[in-house]
Every structure is written in C-alpha cells, then in structure tokens.
Amino acid sequence: MRALIQRVHEASVHSATQRGEETDLTGSIGQGLVAFVGVTHEDDEAQAVRLAEKIFNLRVFADDDGAMNRSCGEVGGGVLVVSQFTLYADTRKGRRPSYLHAALPDHAEPLVSRVAQRLVELGATVAEGRFQTHMDVSLVNDGPVTIMLEV
C-alpha cells in the first residue's frame, strides 16, 4: 500500500457519480493531513492497519521550537482519506500510464476503508472521499509538506 501525505491547513472533497454531475461534499477537515491511498493486488488488512498507524504517528507538525516533531495525534489534526489508484501508475513505457499494479475496486475499497477505520480507532477525526466516484479535492497545503509512505 502507498499513501501520498500532504500536511494541510484545511481540505475537503466533493464527489459525483459521474464527471460533470453536481458534486456533494463528502468530507472536510481543518488542520491535519490529506492521505491519498493506493492499493495493489498483494495488499491485505495488516498493511492497511500499518499504513494508518504510520499516517497517524508521522511527525510532520511543528513543536514549540518549530521542528517537525509532532504527529497528527499530538496536534489533534484531522485526516482526509481519499482513494487514489493512480498512485500505482506505471509510466516507464510510452506516454499513457498503465494501472495494472493497482488493485481492482472489490479488493481496494475494503482496505482503504480499513485505513480510515484504524485512524478513527487511534483517535483521529477522519473524513473520506467516496470510492469509485469522480472527486474534486481542495486543500490548502501547509509548508508544503508532501511525503510518500509505503508499507
């Protein structure tokens, strides 16, 4: 599993069943992290749990001295979880990415949900996108701080 993490001042996601349709707000957070989560074929629940724990405990927030020493849990930040199959894009050949390494929805959806569920269990305020919809994600990047996690 992979997650592209962005530290944000605020973020929200609007979802629509099809592109061009009116979107509904499906999640928003204030200060915290946006976690774009990608799943591949071999991933399982144990990896989803580990990924959530890495996200929650990632020390990317400033302490009193301005050093990145605090985690999302320590600062009371939220986490916006958005499924992102394109994190497994293979761009080594040609100009069109291949998504063969991305898990199919029936395998990926429960694992992305498990990441969100584990974050809640850890004490995070969690908001989510809607799986298999067109999503418009808005965020105010803080830093910017953008980190790729992989388990």
Side-chain angles (χ1 to χ4, degrees), residues 6-15 23-36 78-84 126-130 134-141:
Q6 293 190 306
R7 185 179 71 185
V8 299
H9 290 292
E10 63 184 17
S12 63
V13 61
H14 287 76
S15 300
T23 60
D24 297 322
L25 177 66
T26 58
S28 66
I29 61 167
Q31 177 191 26
L33 301 172
V34 174
F36 296 101
V79 182
L80 177 61
V81 177
V82 177
S83 64
Q84 187 74 55
V126 175
E128 298 180 65
R130 190 176 297 143
H134 178 81
M135 290 182 270
D136 294 326
V137 179
S138 300
L139 58 92
V140 178
N141 205 318

Side-chain angles (χ1 to χ4, degrees), residues 30-141:
Q31 177 191 26
L33 301 172
V34 174
F36 296 101
V37 178
V39 179
T40 194
H41 307 289
E42 298 84 25
D43 292 333
D44 60 21
E45 183 178 349
Q47 286 169 299
V49 167
R50 277 200 340 262
L51 183 62
E53 291 169 354
K54 282 185 81 103
I55 293 167
F56 188 73
N57 293 305
L58 190 65
R59 293 173 19 172
V60 294
F61 293 93
D63 63 14
D64 294 337
D65 297 323
M68 288 195 291
N69 277 328
R70 292 194 176 138
S71 68
C72 191
E74 291 172 310
V75 300
V79 182
L80 177 61
V81 177
V82 177
S83 64
Q84 187 74 55
F85 76 93
T86 60
L87 289 178
Y88 278 99
D90 184 349
T91 59
R92 292 176 289 180
K93 293 193 266 181
R95 294 179 291 158
R96 183 185 306 245
S98 167
Y99 300 104
L100 293 175
H101 298 291
L104 294 173
D106 62 333
H107 181 72
E109 185 172 12
L111 294 178
V112 173
S113 293
R114 183 64 180 116
V115 169
Q117 178 187 22
R118 180 63 182 142
L119 285 164
V120 169
E121 291 167 1
L122 291 166
T125 299
V126 175
E128 298 180 65
R130 190 176 297 143
F131 204 85
Q132 281 192 288
T133 63
H134 178 81
M135 290 182 270
D136 294 326
V137 179
S138 300
L139 58 92
V140 178
N141 205 318

